[in-house]
């Protein structure tokens, strides 16, 4: 940015601060939403009347009204004339949640890339119903507004900044990211931030910083398949730690593995884990951190879905507890704002300088115009407004898919109920083969992500990840019906 | 690109074809320029009269006139009233060229990153005279026109293309690059092209595809310092092959090394080599290719300066001889069009698919908007017109720096006379220490790139690379004078 145009950075943090100092009715709505999500309030059940709620919870009637309007807007409850509010009926016969995954307690040479690539190649056809996709619908993103920010940024970017931004990263963007950390309670010196080509590059660089070929890395089970591919590429071995579908990593199992094995790094998603959608509680995140400090094992925290939480409480990262610079916190704008711009970052803790150098030796820099466009958008584009819309859309779509699954899938199917993101994880009876299901589904124009690509030991054969990141429409509903029939046929 | 806007790809290839079918006067001008460059026609000497030239070389007088106008335009000759044309006086006392570098005939563990990073950090100050810079002046690039292409491209890019382009790369961009290869005589199936985050990522991916830690890689001596950093990062060993400052790699030495050592790959710049500026002849490039075929050793051809040739003959890459898919030809738009956009590519030969997969596992994709902007520019922006202007500017600036060096540097200084690019390589008497020179120069607000960063064995201590990629002005001239005094003081 030229000196003639001083930075306007007020819009973002204050918007977020307001959100942080959440309104009373939003808090109350969140509490009710949690009761619905966890099944305390079942489909079709009446939510407390305004009078009752006001008296019981000590909030004003207008707060309750506002909260119920919000919940109606989020698609969780609906009004019935002269009867009050009811939990929406869309999950008449809700499916159960899966349980904690089993613990293998061994190290695994990773050899999944071929399988992953062949599955991913099969998912590319744009004419299939994209339940197997890794991305939410690009229609959910403010692409025209981003284009405006790009034009604005390119007008202001001096030729010499284009060169300078290649080594250091765009200063405005780094400041905006640091401000977002600050607002979410993480005080971060800007020097810790390295801008990368999406989170994927950040994760790669972090792993290279702290490992040598042959080393052991603890990962979740199931985990994001690209994590396994990276391990394989770098000739690292996986130690698979079981994950509870709601509470996240099994800390007991992790503690055992850390005691018994020379683990060099952990690569975890502490919030909205892919594929399970699990989020650890803050207490558990802190306990995880203390465990890692005890063993002096660095954490690569992959937090790319953090902005897609439902409700009004942004999840805190493990990074927020990091006294010692042991956590490398990786994220990006790819899932929340700007797919294809390929801008991510890492708050690299004690490894920041080493990560920056490694980046200079591999790709030098992410695209400078893309960095400048995002910096402009973060200052002027209304990111928080967009995020609220996006979260609402995803929450509605999750409800729709859950309800559809309950209608069409066999009753002994289990499914997660994540509090954000755009993935559901389905656990079918053990004898189902999800790779076979994928073949049959593709023949019917439907994609899905089969369980074995999420596991170093190629477990989860009877599981599949389905993407609800696309607006729900009759063909989604029909696709669920077809899938349900295919699953039943295979059992 | 949406179906409603069919691709217009006619502008580029035909412009280039015209340039390829070079006009007679351009050819003649090139021949005279070569005589001047190689010193056959010395500064102040008269070039053949129009009548004489027309008769001797069998060209029409108007062809000679046009050629001389062009050479005048390129700053190589000047008219004197009623006396005809003379070679410009700017190099009264031309410095000699350096000779072939010595052959070490050994393998070297690479350990230069610290040195390179500390030198590069010292060059960052924007207030120094940027002789040490790796980039030409960003003012030489059509950045406003690129911004227009960006706006145009973002209006046309559909949300779904943004996702699709991440795995395959922008189809228009790949087609435009393939067309440019075709025009320069390389028939390339589009499938061989992988779009990367600049050439640096392409080079990294190629090297990872064909080596394992501990392997030997043949590199030039001196070579581009980032090549050494990449070798060090991947724990590869360098076999340094001497380079002739005009003719490029010593094929005899390479042949010996290939016979004696288990070299797994070569990383060479066959045209306008950095830092020497050497370009191999086509015959020599073919001989190099046959040598590599004989040993079945793949070539990673770093060709990022290829578009910056002076005169009218684009240099052919070794890739143009590649029958067996043994050459990975890497290039980018960073030096010729769009610094900071970070768009490069590799024509990966038999390794293309493996390279594409490796890219998906490391950065996924370069920025999609940047790809689309360049595709639009290549179709509509006038790339060839821009390149002609850029080449003329660089050629003029080279003359100016050479002349200035002749005025201010000790007479026993040697300097290259590259036929393109924006670097000169200076060889001072052996007892000069260029790291010391750098320290003294920085204190005077002048940067330079000292010899040892270009060598795995940290040779070339008495050498330095100077960048003439910035418009020549009084402060450049003054900086050369100061440098000359510092050099003299150190001797």
């Amino acid at each position: 940015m030229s000196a003639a145009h001083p930075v306007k950075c007020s819009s973002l943090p204050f918007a977020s601060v307001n959100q942080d100092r959440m309104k009373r009715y939003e808090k109350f709505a969140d509490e009710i939403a949690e009761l619905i999500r966890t099944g305390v309030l079942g489909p079709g059940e009446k939510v407390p009347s305004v009078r009752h709620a006001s008296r019981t919870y000590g909030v004003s009637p207008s707060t309750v009204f506002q909260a119920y309007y919000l919940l109606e807007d989020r698609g969780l409850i609906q009004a019935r004339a002269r009867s009050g509010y009811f939990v929406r009926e869309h999950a008449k016969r809700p499916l159960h949640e899966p349980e904690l995954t089993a613990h293998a307690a061994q190290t695994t040479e990773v050899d999944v890339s071929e399988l992953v690539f062949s599955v991913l190649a099969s998912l590319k056809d744009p004419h299939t119903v994209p339940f197997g996709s890794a991305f939410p619908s690009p229609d959910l993103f403010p692409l025209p507004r981003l284009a405006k920010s790009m034009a604005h940024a390119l007008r202001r970017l001096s030729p010499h900044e284009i060169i300078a931004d290649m080594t250091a990263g765009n200063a405005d963007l780094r400041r905006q990211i640091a401000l977002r950390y600050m607002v979410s309670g993480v005080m971060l010196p800007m020097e810790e931030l390295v801008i990368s080509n999406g989170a994927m590059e950040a994760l790669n660089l972090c792993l290279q910083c702290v490992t040598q070929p042959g080393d052991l890395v603890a990962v979740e089970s199931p985990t994001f398949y690209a994590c396994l591919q990276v391990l394989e590429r770098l000739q690292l071995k996986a130690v698979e730690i079981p994950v509870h579908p709601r509470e996240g990593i099994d800390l007991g199992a992790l503690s055992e593995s850390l005691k018994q094995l020379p683990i060099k790094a952990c690569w975890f998603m502490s919030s909205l884990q892919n594929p399970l959608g699990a989020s650890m509680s803050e207490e558990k995140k802190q306990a995880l951190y203390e465990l890692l400090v005890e063993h002096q094992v660095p954490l690569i925290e992959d937090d790319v879905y953090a902005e897609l939480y439902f409700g009004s409480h942004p999840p805190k990262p493990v990074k927020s507890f990091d006294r010692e610079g042991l956590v490398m916190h990786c994220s990006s704008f790819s899932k929340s704002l700007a797919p294809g711009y390929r801008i991510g970052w890492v708050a690299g803790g004690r490894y920041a300088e080493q990560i920056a150098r490694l980046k200079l030796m591999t790709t030098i820099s992410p695209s400078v115009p893309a960095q400048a466009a995002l910096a402009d958008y973060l200052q002027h584009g209304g990111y928080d407004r967009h995020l609220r819309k996006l979260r609402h859309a995803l929450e509605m779509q999750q409800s729709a898919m859950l309800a559809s699954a309950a209608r069409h899938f066999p009753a002994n199917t289990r499914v997660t109920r994540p509090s954000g993101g755009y993935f559901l994880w389905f656990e079918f009876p053990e004898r189902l083969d999800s790779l076979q299901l994928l073949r049959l589904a593709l023949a019917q124009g439907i994609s899905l992500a089969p369980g074995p690509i999420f596991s170093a030991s190629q477990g989860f054969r009877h599981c599949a990840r389905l993407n609800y990141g696309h607006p729900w429409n009759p063909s989604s509903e029909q696709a669920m019906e077809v899938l349900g029939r295919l699953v039943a046929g295979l059992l």
Side-chain angles (χ1 to χ4, degrees), chain A:
Chain A
M1 173 170 320
S2 72
H5 299 271
V7 192
K8 245 180 51 185
C9 54
S10 59
S11 71
L12 170 77
F14 292 109
S16 299
V17 165
N18 281 341
Q19 203 195 351
D20 218 38
R21 289 196 206 125
M22 206 184 353
K23 299 229 170 57
R24 176 164 278 209
Y25 78 89
E26 289 175 326
K27 264 196 187 133
F28 182 62
D30 273 8
E31 284 160 13
I32 299 290
E34 188 64 12
L35 294 178
I36 295 172
R37 202 176 66 77
T38 54
V40 174
L41 274 170
E45 286 189 330
K46 193 170 186 303
V47 297
S49 72
V50 174
R51 216 167 100 182
H52 178 83
S54 166
R55 223 168 28 216
T56 314
Y57 307 112
V59 290
S60 74
S62 82
T63 298
V64 181
F65 266 122
Q66 279 182 294
Y68 286 1
Y69 288 150
L70 182 61
L71 290 169
E72 197 176 14
D73 201 40
R74 282 165 64 183
L76 295 176
I77 63 175
Q78 61 188 151
R80 286 195 206 144
R82 272 168 300 187
S83 312
Y85 281 96
F86 292 79
V87 177
R88 286 187 64 151
E89 296 270 356
H90 49 41
K92 269 258 183 259
R93 190 175 45 102
L95 299 171
H96 288 104
E97 284 184 83
E99 288 167 3
L100 181 66
T101 60
H103 187 200
Q106 63 189 19
T107 69
T108 314
E109 298 263 0
V110 190
D111 182 20
V112 298
S113 251
E114 274 305 319
L115 173 69
V116 171
F117 277 124
S118 79
V119 167
L120 293 186
S122 77
L123 304 182
K124 263 192 209 162
D125 182 351
H127 302 296
T128 52
V129 179
F131 291 159
S133 169
F135 305 97
S137 166
D139 296 318
L140 296 173
F141 297 105
L143 298 173
R145 183 62 189 77
L146 281 169
K148 212 175 125 189
S149 274
M150 176 69 90
H152 191 217
L154 285 181
R155 269 199 303 279
R156 294 192 314 174
L157 199 66
S158 81
H160 291 269
E161 279 171 309
I162 289 189
I163 304 293
D165 283 359
M166 274 198 279
T167 41
N170 181 288
D172 287 336
L173 179 62
R174 294 168 74 222
R175 185 158 46 237
Q176 291 296 323
I177 294 172
L179 280 170
R180 291 193 76 81
Y181 272 105
M182 189 193 75
V183 165
S184 76
V186 184
M187 300 313 277
L188 202 74
M190 262 176 66
E191 295 73 52
E192 240 198 80
L193 280 176
V194 182
I195 308 295
S196 59
N197 287 280
M200 182 59 90
E201 182 182 37
L203 294 160
N204 264 278
L205 296 176
C206 292
L207 207 53
Q208 285 173 74
C209 266
V210 293
T211 62
Q212 290 287 325
D215 281 351
L216 302 186
V217 177
V219 301
E220 290 142 339
S221 175
T223 190
F224 174 37
Y225 48 77
C227 164
L228 298 172
Q229 290 183 299
V230 173
L231 259 55
E232 182 176 337
R233 179 179 85 80
L234 299 175
Q235 298 172 32
L236 299 166
K237 283 183 205 143
V239 179
E240 298 191 284
I241 309 296
V243 180
H244 186 280
R246 183 169 294 168
E247 289 153 26
I249 285 213
D250 181 341
L251 282 192
L254 175 64
S255 174
E256 278 307 301
S257 293
L258 286 170
K259 268 180 213 144
Q260 285 163 21
L261 299 166
I263 289 171
K264 287 289 160 52
C266 297
W267 172 337
F268 297 150
M269 305 183 85
S270 61
S271 302
L272 302 172
Q273 194 259 358
N274 177 8
L276 289 180
S279 292
M280 298 167 73
S281 66
E282 278 187 27
E283 295 68 31
K284 199 168 165 184
K285 282 172 180 163
Q286 184 157 19
L288 166 62
Y289 180 69
E290 300 304 337
L291 185 61
L292 295 175
V293 166
E294 184 193 328
H295 293 273
Q296 282 296 303
V297 169
L299 171 63
I300 300 167
E301 186 173 25
D302 179 356
D303 211 12
V304 294
Y305 300 101
E307 291 285 16
L308 304 185
Y309 60 89
F310 300 158
S312 319
H313 290 70
K316 264 192 172 178
V318 178
K319 181 72 186 171
S320 65
F321 303 103
D322 189 15
R323 306 179 296 276
E324 300 195 4
L326 204 59
V327 180
M328 290 163 268
H329 184 256
C330 302
S331 192
S332 86
F333 296 105
S334 301
K335 319 287 194 206
S336 57
L337 175 63
Y341 277 60
R342 308 300 308 132
I343 301 298
W345 70 88
V346 47
R350 61 171 84 153
Y351 310 98
E353 192 188 341
Q354 210 184 331
I355 294 168
R357 287 184 164 199
L358 201 51
K359 190 192 70 162
L360 285 176
M361 288 190 274
T362 45
T363 62
I364 303 180
S365 162
S367 178
V368 172
Q371 291 184 59
L374 290 186
D376 184 276
Y377 178 88
L378 291 176
Q379 284 175 70
H380 310 293
Y383 188 31
D384 286 298
R385 199 169 54 238
H386 153 68
L387 283 173
R388 278 192 293 274
K389 265 179 62 185
L390 175 62
R391 289 175 197 134
H392 275 198
L394 294 177
E395 190 172 10
M396 299 274 281
Q397 290 162 205
Q398 186 195 85
S399 293
M401 184 178 262
L402 278 170
S404 185
R407 276 190 293 275
H408 302 300
F409 285 13
N412 52 359
T413 304
R414 289 173 178 268
V415 63
T416 51
R417 278 172 185 62
S419 57
Y422 48 91
F423 296 127
L424 291 179
W425 178 256
F426 288 86
E427 196 181 287
F428 301 106
E430 289 267 352
R431 61 188 181 283
L432 184 124
D433 176 352
S434 62
L435 291 169
Q436 202 184 344
L437 178 63
L438 172 62
R439 278 188 296 275
L440 296 172
L442 283 173
Q444 306 277 333
I446 306 163
S447 74
L448 56 86
I453 64 174
F454 299 94
S455 158
S457 43
Q458 301 195 19
F460 307 107
R461 219 175 165 79
H462 60 305
C463 300
R465 187 193 72 183
L466 266 59
N467 176 321
Y468 59 78
H470 295 71
W472 200 257
N473 57 32
S475 79
S476 330
E477 186 64 29
Q478 203 187 342
M480 289 296 282
E481 197 184 335
V482 171
L483 274 186
R485 256 187 283 125
L486 293 176
V487 168
L490 285 171
L491 290 175

